[in-house]
Amino acid sequence: MQENILGIIGGLGPMATAYFLELTVKMTAAYRDQDHLRAVLMEAPDIPDRTAHILDRSKPSPLPALTGYAKKLEALGCGCIAIPCITSHHFFPELQRAISIPLLNIVEETARHLRENGVRTAGVMATTGTVRTQLFQRALAQEGVGCVLPDGAHQEMVMRVIYDDVKAGRPVEEDVFGEAAAHLRANGAECLILGCTELSLANRDRPLGPGCLDALEVLSRAAVLACGKPLRPAYHCLITR
Amino acid sequence: MQENILGIIGGLGPMATAYFLELTVKMTAAYRDQDHLRAVLMEAPDIPDRTAHILDRSKPSPLPALTGYAKKLEALGCGCIAIPCITSHHFFPELQRAISIPLLNIVEETARHLRENGVRTAGVMATTGTVRTQLFQRALAQEGVGCVLPDGAHQEMVMRVIYDDVKAGRPVEEDVFGEAAAHLRANGAECLILGCTELSLANRDRPLGPGCLDALEVLSRAAVLACGKPLRPAYHCLITR
């Protein structure tokens, strides 16, 4: 397999980017520094807010800045690009047209990982903004995986965990997370997608339980493989047991 | 203060680089993504082994590769460069001459932080390679801070913690670390420099106790300030209590 330099557009947010980088290191079956993947990271927290533009088109679009960084990474010799931010994937079709190296798609890779591991129906835990973009719904449908979304009250619980807990630097309220999770499972979800990088960070600090799939881990796994590096065996299937 | 884009030459090693990036995020007094520092990271684990060349000049030098990356970062608009790897600082005088933006020096910043916080004598916990380069000894002397090095038997204990424990993915043997630390303190060290990024990673996973100064934290703090960002108050003094 050809070795690629990984391009990363980061800073959306910055903590998820650092964790993504850590995950690629952990997942690579390397026995010395020189076995690890090469990468160029453009940490660009100044890119206009993605959700703000999706909800209100009069707000500045992040697309011109994303395109600029993607072109720079291509010019620097990167073979593929990862963006450890789920909402930004809303802009991927246009972004992909602007460059000739592949974008690794966190949403499509997550849906594929579920299908490849025999999951028939998945629940989505993501921001209300991400749910509205239909990113996960479409990707799951494309892979033939059923999709369960929380109802209004339970979606508010997911948002409470993301905003009032993780973004505010507090531990996840386990009863709130647990109630939203139980609701999705009662509606047929065999596996819960942690579809927001704040949930990935919460899961890093204290595992959110079995039957979850962290989308950021999926992107990291895809990046290691796309760079031609071998995976550590523990990371072949990422669904928690 | 002028805002600078931080250039990072990373991958020496890769886990320390991810942790360095995480530390810069944690230390910045930011309240939204857009407040965080901008950076370009060249993750280059393929740079020839630093210690190998220092111990045997017939082995390939890392200097040409380091220079190439530093020049690229300068051309990309970075205002300063950090390298989260202590041994590579042996090559800093030559590297600095090749570029016109400043290199942030982990060793000099550590010595300065000790002096600024009233430490009169510090103990050095680092690899035998780093001790031989005299990097810490010279930087401490320049700041007027006394320097205590372990004797041969205790230097071996430090190496055992770094290589047999941390690099092998095992927790630090607390009695071995404790004996080396007690030896340095008995010889007058008021503060122990964690002068190897493996020790920084160990300290991240389980704090190594009071009276320590993690050099990687010092570099991260210096990077936040050099980029014109405000520090979170908890990171003004980095000596553990």
Side-chain angles (χ1 to χ4, degrees):
Chain A
M1 163 118 200
Q2 197 203 329
E3 298 222 347
N4 279 316
I5 300 175
L6 175 65
I8 308 167
I9 302 178
L12 338 159
M15 191 53 89
T17 303
Y19 183 43
F20 170 75
L21 198 66
E22 183 185 335
L23 283 170
T24 62
V25 178
K26 273 192 182 160
M27 289 185 180
T28 305
Y31 298 93
R32 43 179 209 138
D33 290 356
Q34 286 75 10
D35 296 335
H36 279 279
L37 56 79
R38 292 176 62 190
V40 182
L41 160 64
M42 297 273 172
E43 181 84 351
D46 53 318
I47 291 177
D49 190 281
R50 286 66 58 193
T51 305
H53 177 77
I54 291 170
L55 299 180
D56 175 359
R57 292 302 172 115
S58 74
K59 297 273 168 67
S61 167
L63 190 62
L66 287 170
T67 306
Y69 284 111
K71 285 185 169 173
K72 261 190 203 168
L73 290 170
E74 184 174 10
L76 286 165
C78 295
C80 58
I81 292 178
I83 308 184
C85 159
I86 289 164
T87 321
S88 68
H89 284 63
H90 177 67
F91 304 93
F92 264 33
E94 277 181 89
L95 190 57
Q96 180 65 78
R97 280 194 289 276
I99 54 172
S100 53
I101 54 174
L103 290 169
L104 303 177
N105 189 307
I106 195 170
V107 180
E108 292 174 6
E109 294 286 346
T110 299
R112 190 149 65 100
H113 195 76
L114 289 163
R115 195 250 303 148
E116 287 177 353
N117 287 286
V119 173
R120 288 156 302 179
T121 305
V124 178
M125 301 186 103
T127 61
T128 306
T130 298
V131 172
R132 284 210 195 138
T133 61
Q134 305 269 333
L135 282 165
F136 279 109
Q137 295 92 310
R138 280 200 295 257
L140 289 167
Q142 212 158 13
E143 295 290 341
V145 177
C147 175
V148 181
L149 297 172
D151 63 20
H154 290 91
Q155 178 60 34
E156 270 177 38
M157 288 181 192
V158 174
M159 287 297 272
R160 175 167 157 183
V161 167
I162 294 171
Y163 280 84
D164 298 351
D165 298 347
V166 190
K167 273 194 200 278
R170 282 191 281 265
V172 168
E173 295 162 283
E174 286 178 15
D175 53 333
V176 179
F177 179 85
E179 199 175 324
H183 162 74
L184 290 167
R185 292 199 200 276
N187 284 301
E190 297 161 21
C191 178
L192 304 180
I193 299 171
L194 304 180
C196 168
T197 53
E198 302 297 333
L199 294 176
S200 309
L201 294 169
N203 188 55
R204 169 193 70 177
D205 296 337
R206 184 187 287 199
L208 289 171
C212 291
L213 178 60
D214 172 2
L216 193 65
E217 287 194 3
V218 176
L219 182 66
S220 176
R221 180 186 184 278
V224 171
L225 293 173
C227 289
K229 296 293 182 186
L231 273 184
R232 287 200 189 277
Y235 298 103
H236 280 287
C237 173
L238 301 173
I239 298 169
T240 54
R241 282 160 199 266
Chain B
M1 164 115 199
Q2 197 202 332
E3 297 222 348
N4 279 317
I5 300 175
L6 174 65
I8 308 166
I9 302 177
L12 335 160
M15 191 53 89
T17 303
Y19 183 43
F20 170 75
L21 199 66
E22 183 186 334
L23 284 171
T24 63
V25 179
K26 273 193 182 159
M27 288 184 180
T28 305
Y31 298 93
R32 42 180 208 137
D33 290 356
Q34 285 75 12
D35 296 334
H36 279 279
L37 57 80
R38 292 176 62 191
V40 182
L41 159 64
M42 297 273 173
E43 181 84 351
D46 53 317
I47 290 177
D49 190 281
R50 286 65 59 193
T51 304
H53 177 75
I54 291 170
L55 299 180
D56 175 0
R57 292 301 171 117
S58 74
K59 295 275 167 68
S61 167
L63 190 61
L66 287 171
T67 306
Y69 284 111
K71 285 185 169 173
K72 263 189 201 168
L73 290 170
E74 184 174 11
L76 286 166
C78 295
C80 57
I81 292 177
I83 308 183
C85 160
I86 289 165
T87 321
S88 68
H89 283 63
H90 177 67
F91 304 93
F92 264 34
E94 276 182 89
L95 190 56
Q96 181 64 79
R97 280 195 288 275
I99 54 173
S100 51
I101 54 175
L103 290 170
L104 303 177
N105 190 308
I106 194 170
V107 180
E108 293 174 7
E109 294 286 347
T110 298
R112 189 148 66 99
H113 195 76
L114 289 164
R115 195 247 306 146
E116 286 178 353
N117 286 286
V119 173
R120 286 156 304 180
T121 305
V124 178
M125 300 187 102
T127 61
T128 306
T130 298
V131 172
R132 285 212 194 135
T133 60
Q134 306 267 335
L135 282 165
F136 280 109
Q137 296 92 309
R138 280 198 295 255
L140 290 167
Q142 211 157 12
E143 296 290 341
V145 177
C147 175
V148 181
L149 297 172
D151 63 19
H154 290 91
Q155 178 60 34
E156 269 176 38
M157 286 181 195
V158 175
M159 288 296 272
R160 176 167 157 184
V161 167
I162 293 172
Y163 280 84
D164 298 353
D165 297 347
V166 191
K167 272 194 201 276
R170 280 191 283 265
V172 168
E173 295 161 283
E174 287 178 14
D175 53 333
V176 179
F177 178 85
E179 200 176 323
H183 162 75
L184 290 168
R185 294 198 198 277
N187 284 301
E190 297 162 21
C191 179
L192 304 180
I193 299 171
L194 305 180
C196 168
T197 54
E198 303 297 333
L199 294 177
S200 308
L201 293 170
N203 188 54
R204 169 192 69 176
D205 297 337
R206 185 186 286 199
L208 290 171
C212 290
L213 178 60
D214 173 2
L216 192 64
E217 287 194 2
V218 176
L219 183 66
S220 176
R221 180 185 184 280
V224 171
L225 293 174
C227 289
K229 296 293 181 186
L231 273 184
R232 287 198 189 279
Y235 297 104
H236 281 287
C237 172
L238 300 173
I239 298 169
T240 54
R241 284 160 198 266

mmCIF file of all heavy atoms in Angstrom, chain B residues 176-212:
data_model
loop_
_atom_site.group_PDB
_atom_site.id
_atom_site.type_symbol
_atom_site.label_atom_id
_atom_site.label_comp_id
_atom_site.label_asym_id
_atom_site.label_seq_id
_atom_site.Cartn_x
_atom_site.Cartn_y
_atom_site.Cartn_z
ATOM 1 N N VAL B 176 10.878 3.066 42.153
ATOM 2 C CA VAL B 176 12.105 3.383 41.409
ATOM 3 C C VAL B 176 12.184 4.890 41.163
ATOM 4 O O VAL B 176 13.215 5.533 41.430
ATOM 5 C CB VAL B 176 12.149 2.614 40.060
ATOM 6 C CG1 VAL B 176 13.413 2.964 39.280
ATOM 7 C CG2 VAL B 176 12.058 1.114 40.301
ATOM 8 N N PHE B 177 11.075 5.475 40.675
ATOM 9 C CA PHE B 177 11.045 6.919 40.463
ATOM 10 C C PHE B 177 11.319 7.638 41.790
ATOM 11 O O PHE B 177 12.119 8.572 41.858
ATOM 12 C CB PHE B 177 9.696 7.365 39.895
ATOM 13 C CG PHE B 177 9.598 8.854 39.692
ATOM 14 C CD1 PHE B 177 10.065 9.439 38.527
ATOM 15 C CD2 PHE B 177 9.061 9.674 40.682
ATOM 16 C CE1 PHE B 177 10.003 10.815 38.347
ATOM 17 C CE2 PHE B 177 9.008 11.048 40.513
ATOM 18 C CZ PHE B 177 9.473 11.626 39.341
ATOM 19 N N GLY B 178 10.647 7.170 42.840
ATOM 20 C CA GLY B 178 10.772 7.808 44.153
ATOM 21 C C GLY B 178 12.191 7.770 44.681
ATOM 22 O O GLY B 178 12.659 8.738 45.292
ATOM 23 N N GLU B 179 12.906 6.679 44.419
ATOM 24 C CA GLU B 179 14.284 6.592 44.937
ATOM 25 C C GLU B 179 15.200 7.568 44.200
ATOM 26 O O GLU B 179 16.032 8.244 44.823
ATOM 27 C CB GLU B 179 14.801 5.145 44.818
ATOM 28 C CG GLU B 179 15.974 4.905 45.755
ATOM 29 C CD GLU B 179 16.455 3.461 45.744
ATOM 30 O OE1 GLU B 179 15.598 2.545 45.639
ATOM 31 O OE2 GLU B 179 17.684 3.254 45.842
ATOM 32 N N ALA B 180 15.018 7.657 42.881
ATOM 33 C CA ALA B 180 15.822 8.617 42.109
ATOM 34 C C ALA B 180 15.485 10.048 42.542
ATOM 35 O O ALA B 180 16.380 10.895 42.707
ATOM 36 C CB ALA B 180 15.573 8.433 40.612
ATOM 37 N N ALA B 181 14.198 10.319 42.758
ATOM 38 C CA ALA B 181 13.771 11.658 43.169
ATOM 39 C C ALA B 181 14.341 12.002 44.550
ATOM 40 O O ALA B 181 14.864 13.107 44.768
ATOM 41 C CB ALA B 181 12.246 11.738 43.178
ATOM 42 N N ALA B 182 14.273 11.052 45.470
ATOM 43 C CA ALA B 182 14.769 11.292 46.830
ATOM 44 C C ALA B 182 16.274 11.560 46.816
ATOM 45 O O ALA B 182 16.778 12.418 47.560
ATOM 46 C CB ALA B 182 14.444 10.092 47.718
ATOM 47 N N HIS B 183 16.975 10.844 45.955
ATOM 48 C CA HIS B 183 18.424 11.033 45.802
ATOM 49 C C HIS B 183 18.742 12.465 45.360
ATOM 50 O O HIS B 183 19.627 13.133 45.916
ATOM 51 C CB HIS B 183 18.931 9.997 44.793
ATOM 52 C CG HIS B 183 20.264 10.278 44.194
ATOM 53 N ND1 HIS B 183 21.448 10.106 44.882
ATOM 54 C CD2 HIS B 183 20.618 10.714 42.957
ATOM 55 C CE1 HIS B 183 22.467 10.424 44.089
ATOM 56 N NE2 HIS B 183 21.995 10.797 42.926
ATOM 57 N N LEU B 184 17.984 12.966 44.364
ATOM 58 C CA LEU B 184 18.217 14.334 43.877
ATOM 59 C C LEU B 184 17.875 15.360 44.957
ATOM 60 O O LEU B 184 18.601 16.332 45.159
ATOM 61 C CB LEU B 184 17.393 14.598 42.605
ATOM 62 C CG LEU B 184 17.863 13.840 41.358
ATOM 63 C CD1 LEU B 184 16.819 13.924 40.246
ATOM 64 C CD2 LEU B 184 19.204 14.394 40.866
ATOM 65 N N ARG B 185 16.779 15.108 45.671
ATOM 66 C CA ARG B 185 16.372 16.063 46.722
ATOM 67 C C ARG B 185 17.380 16.055 47.886
ATOM 68 O O ARG B 185 17.691 17.106 48.452
ATOM 69 C CB ARG B 185 14.974 15.734 47.236
ATOM 70 C CG ARG B 185 13.891 15.952 46.161
ATOM 71 C CD ARG B 185 12.494 16.058 46.783
ATOM 72 N NE ARG B 185 11.458 15.837 45.786
ATOM 73 C CZ ARG B 185 10.990 16.766 44.959
ATOM 74 N NH1 ARG B 185 11.472 17.992 44.992
ATOM 75 N NH2 ARG B 185 10.042 16.482 44.077
ATOM 76 N N ALA B 186 17.904 14.859 48.195
ATOM 77 C CA ALA B 186 18.897 14.768 49.281
ATOM 78 C C ALA B 186 20.163 15.543 48.913
ATOM 79 O O ALA B 186 20.890 16.030 49.788
ATOM 80 C CB ALA B 186 19.229 13.305 49.555
ATOM 81 N N ASN B 187 20.396 15.687 47.603
ATOM 82 C CA ASN B 187 21.570 16.437 47.149
ATOM 83 C C ASN B 187 21.261 17.907 46.871
ATOM 84 O O ASN B 187 22.035 18.578 46.188
ATOM 85 C CB ASN B 187 22.187 15.755 45.926
ATOM 86 C CG ASN B 187 22.971 14.508 46.328
ATOM 87 O OD1 ASN B 187 23.915 14.576 47.113
ATOM 88 N ND2 ASN B 187 22.542 13.361 45.824
ATOM 89 N N GLY B 188 20.109 18.358 47.353
ATOM 90 C CA GLY B 188 19.849 19.797 47.312
ATOM 91 C C GLY B 188 18.832 20.275 46.296
ATOM 92 O O GLY B 188 18.554 21.472 46.229
ATOM 93 N N ALA B 189 18.280 19.367 45.481
ATOM 94 C CA ALA B 189 17.320 19.815 44.473
ATOM 95 C C ALA B 189 16.009 20.232 45.128
ATOM 96 O O ALA B 189 15.369 19.438 45.809
ATOM 97 C CB ALA B 189 17.063 18.705 43.448
ATOM 98 N N GLU B 190 15.616 21.482 44.913
ATOM 99 C CA GLU B 190 14.334 21.967 45.460
ATOM 100 C C GLU B 190 13.188 21.592 44.523
ATOM 101 O O GLU B 190 12.032 21.542 44.919
ATOM 102 C CB GLU B 190 14.355 23.488 45.583
ATOM 103 C CG GLU B 190 15.406 24.014 46.541
ATOM 104 C CD GLU B 190 15.685 25.493 46.287
ATOM 105 O OE1 GLU B 190 14.848 26.183 45.689
ATOM 106 O OE2 GLU B 190 16.779 25.931 46.692
ATOM 107 N N CYS B 191 13.541 21.394 43.282
ATOM 108 C CA CYS B 191 12.529 21.087 42.267
ATOM 109 C C CYS B 191 13.149 20.103 41.281
ATOM 110 O O CYS B 191 14.344 20.174 40.992
ATOM 111 C CB CYS B 191 12.128 22.391 41.550
ATOM 112 S SG CYS B 191 10.907 22.151 40.244
ATOM 113 N N LEU B 192 12.350 19.165 40.782
ATOM 114 C CA LEU B 192 12.853 18.181 39.814
ATOM 115 C C LEU B 192 12.334 18.516 38.424
ATOM 116 O O LEU B 192 11.112 18.658 38.231
ATOM 117 C CB LEU B 192 12.382 16.779 40.197
ATOM 118 C CG LEU B 192 12.751 16.325 41.610
ATOM 119 C CD1 LEU B 192 12.232 14.916 41.850
ATOM 120 C CD2 LEU B 192 14.258 16.402 41.833
ATOM 121 N N ILE B 193 13.242 18.646 37.481
ATOM 122 C CA ILE B 193 12.846 18.886 36.090
ATOM 123 C C ILE B 193 12.486 17.552 35.449
ATOM 124 O O ILE B 193 13.317 16.627 35.426
ATOM 125 C CB ILE B 193 13.998 19.522 35.287
ATOM 126 C CG1 ILE B 193 14.381 20.881 35.881
ATOM 127 C CG2 ILE B 193 13.629 19.654 33.814
ATOM 128 C CD1 ILE B 193 15.659 21.472 35.268
ATOM 129 N N LEU B 194 11.250 17.422 34.961
ATOM 130 C CA LEU B 194 10.904 16.256 34.145
ATOM 131 C C LEU B 194 11.389 16.608 32.748
ATOM 132 O O LEU B 194 10.710 17.263 31.970
ATOM 133 C CB LEU B 194 9.397 15.999 34.189
ATOM 134 C CG LEU B 194 8.796 15.840 35.600
ATOM 135 C CD1 LEU B 194 7.288 15.589 35.514
ATOM 136 C CD2 LEU B 194 9.479 14.713 36.363
ATOM 137 N N GLY B 195 12.629 16.184 32.464
ATOM 138 C CA GLY B 195 13.338 16.672 31.283
ATOM 139 C C GLY B 195 13.371 15.667 30.161
ATOM 140 O O GLY B 195 14.353 15.576 29.423
ATOM 141 N N CYS B 196 12.291 14.927 30.015
ATOM 142 C CA CYS B 196 12.172 13.931 28.952
ATOM 143 C C CYS B 196 10.675 13.812 28.694
ATOM 144 O O CYS B 196 9.897 13.670 29.646
ATOM 145 C CB CYS B 196 12.749 12.593 29.409
ATOM 146 S SG CYS B 196 12.335 11.223 28.315
ATOM 147 N N THR B 197 10.256 13.860 27.438
ATOM 148 C CA THR B 197 8.813 13.892 27.175
ATOM 149 C C THR B 197 8.120 12.593 27.591
ATOM 150 O O THR B 197 6.906 12.589 27.801
ATOM 151 C CB THR B 197 8.520 14.223 25.697
ATOM 152 O OG1 THR B 197 9.222 13.310 24.869
ATOM 153 C CG2 THR B 197 8.955 15.642 25.375
ATOM 154 N N GLU B 198 8.878 11.510 27.740
ATOM 155 C CA GLU B 198 8.248 10.284 28.264
ATOM 156 C C GLU B 198 7.807 10.513 29.704
ATOM 157 O O GLU B 198 6.766 9.999 30.139
ATOM 158 C CB GLU B 198 9.205 9.093 28.218
ATOM 159 C CG GLU B 198 9.778 8.756 26.854
ATOM 160 C CD GLU B 198 8.738 8.331 25.842
ATOM 161 O OE1 GLU B 198 7.681 7.810 26.242
ATOM 162 O OE2 GLU B 198 8.973 8.531 24.635
ATOM 163 N N LEU B 199 8.599 11.258 30.456
ATOM 164 C CA LEU B 199 8.211 11.573 31.837
ATOM 165 C C LEU B 199 7.001 12.505 31.854
ATOM 166 O O LEU B 199 6.152 12.416 32.741
ATOM 167 C CB LEU B 199 9.387 12.190 32.597
ATOM 168 C CG LEU B 199 10.587 11.262 32.833
ATOM 169 C CD1 LEU B 199 11.723 12.017 33.527
ATOM 170 C CD2 LEU B 199 10.182 10.045 33.677
ATOM 171 N N SER B 200 6.896 13.383 30.851
ATOM 172 C CA SER B 200 5.708 14.245 30.748
ATOM 173 C C SER B 200 4.461 13.399 30.542
ATOM 174 O O SER B 200 3.415 13.658 31.139
ATOM 175 C CB SER B 200 5.851 15.210 29.561
ATOM 176 O OG SER B 200 7.075 15.896 29.619
ATOM 177 N N LEU B 201 4.564 12.384 29.693
ATOM 178 C CA LEU B 201 3.417 11.508 29.432
ATOM 179 C C LEU B 201 3.059 10.710 30.684
ATOM 180 O O LEU B 201 1.887 10.536 31.013
ATOM 181 C CB LEU B 201 3.723 10.565 28.264
ATOM 182 C CG LEU B 201 3.871 11.256 26.900
ATOM 183 C CD1 LEU B 201 4.414 10.287 25.857
ATOM 184 C CD2 LEU B 201 2.536 11.840 26.440
ATOM 185 N N ALA B 202 4.066 10.245 31.405
ATOM 186 C CA ALA B 202 3.813 9.526 32.657
ATOM 187 C C ALA B 202 3.108 10.447 33.647
ATOM 188 O O ALA B 202 2.148 10.050 34.319
ATOM 189 C CB ALA B 202 5.130 9.019 33.245
ATOM 190 N N ASN B 203 3.566 11.678 33.719
ATOM 191 C CA ASN B 203 3.005 12.664 34.644
ATOM 192 C C ASN B 203 1.572 13.045 34.255
ATOM 193 O O ASN B 203 0.751 13.345 35.121
ATOM 194 C CB ASN B 203 3.900 13.909 34.641
ATOM 195 C CG ASN B 203 3.519 14.917 35.697
ATOM 196 O OD1 ASN B 203 3.422 14.587 36.873
ATOM 197 N ND2 ASN B 203 3.274 16.149 35.275
ATOM 198 N N ARG B 204 1.273 12.994 32.949
ATOM 199 C CA ARG B 204 -0.093 13.227 32.490
ATOM 200 C C ARG B 204 -1.011 12.115 33.000
ATOM 201 O O ARG B 204 -2.101 12.369 33.508
ATOM 202 C CB ARG B 204 -0.132 13.239 30.951
ATOM 203 C CG ARG B 204 -1.537 13.214 30.364
ATOM 204 C CD ARG B 204 -1.554 12.925 28.864
ATOM 205 N NE ARG B 204 -1.150 11.541 28.588
ATOM 206 C CZ ARG B 204 -1.148 10.986 27.382
ATOM 207 N NH1 ARG B 204 -1.493 11.699 26.336
ATOM 208 N NH2 ARG B 204 -0.772 9.741 27.210
ATOM 209 N N ASP B 205 -0.538 10.870 32.880
ATOM 210 C CA ASP B 205 -1.389 9.735 33.219
ATOM 211 C C ASP B 205 -1.539 9.556 34.724
ATOM 212 O O ASP B 205 -2.575 9.112 35.201
ATOM 213 C CB ASP B 205 -0.837 8.460 32.576
ATOM 214 C CG ASP B 205 -0.866 8.560 31.052
ATOM 215 O OD1 ASP B 205 -1.665 9.360 30.532
ATOM 216 O OD2 ASP B 205 -0.073 7.865 30.392
ATOM 217 N N ARG B 206 -0.482 9.859 35.443
ATOM 218 C CA ARG B 206 -0.542 9.791 36.911
ATOM 219 C C ARG B 206 0.503 10.760 37.449
ATOM 220 O O ARG B 206 1.710 10.515 37.319
ATOM 221 C CB ARG B 206 -0.238 8.364 37.376
ATOM 222 C CG ARG B 206 -0.398 8.225 38.878
ATOM 223 C CD ARG B 206 0.047 6.878 39.357
ATOM 224 N NE ARG B 206 -0.909 5.836 39.022
ATOM 225 C CZ ARG B 206 -0.938 4.643 39.626
ATOM 226 N NH1 ARG B 206 -0.052 4.356 40.553
ATOM 227 N NH2 ARG B 206 -1.830 3.743 39.285
ATOM 228 N N PRO B 207 0.039 11.878 38.061
ATOM 229 C CA PRO B 207 0.973 12.924 38.485
ATOM 230 C C PRO B 207 2.124 12.371 39.325
ATOM 231 O O PRO B 207 1.915 11.543 40.213
ATOM 232 C CB PRO B 207 0.090 13.886 39.272
ATOM 233 C CG PRO B 207 -1.272 13.730 38.659
ATOM 234 C CD PRO B 207 -1.372 12.265 38.311
ATOM 235 N N LEU B 208 3.338 12.830 38.999
ATOM 236 C CA LEU B 208 4.541 12.291 39.631
ATOM 237 C C LEU B 208 4.864 12.965 40.958
ATOM 238 O O LEU B 208 5.935 12.750 41.516
ATOM 239 C CB LEU B 208 5.725 12.364 38.663
ATOM 240 C CG LEU B 208 5.646 11.388 37.479
ATOM 241 C CD1 LEU B 208 6.729 11.675 36.448
ATOM 242 C CD2 LEU B 208 5.765 9.939 37.956
ATOM 243 N N GLY B 209 3.929 13.776 41.456
ATOM 244 C CA GLY B 209 4.111 14.326 42.800
ATOM 245 C C GLY B 209 4.462 15.808 42.814
ATOM 246 O O GLY B 209 4.681 16.408 41.770
ATOM 247 N N PRO B 210 4.524 16.372 44.025
ATOM 248 C CA PRO B 210 4.810 17.806 44.148
ATOM 249 C C PRO B 210 6.293 18.104 43.910
ATOM 250 O O PRO B 210 7.125 17.199 43.939
ATOM 251 C CB PRO B 210 4.429 18.098 45.606
ATOM 252 C CG PRO B 210 4.591 16.806 46.321
ATOM 253 C CD PRO B 210 4.338 15.711 45.325
ATOM 254 N N GLY B 211 6.571 19.385 43.647
ATOM 255 C CA GLY B 211 7.964 19.801 43.468
ATOM 256 C C GLY B 211 8.572 19.356 42.154
ATOM 257 O O GLY B 211 9.777 19.152 42.060
ATOM 258 N N CYS B 212 7.724 19.153 41.133
ATOM 259 C CA CYS B 212 8.244 18.780 39.815
ATOM 260 C C CYS B 212 7.894 19.877 38.810
ATOM 261 O O CYS B 212 6.896 20.583 38.956
ATOM 262 C CB CYS B 212 7.627 17.466 39.330
ATOM 263 S SG CYS B 212 8.173 16.017 40.251
#
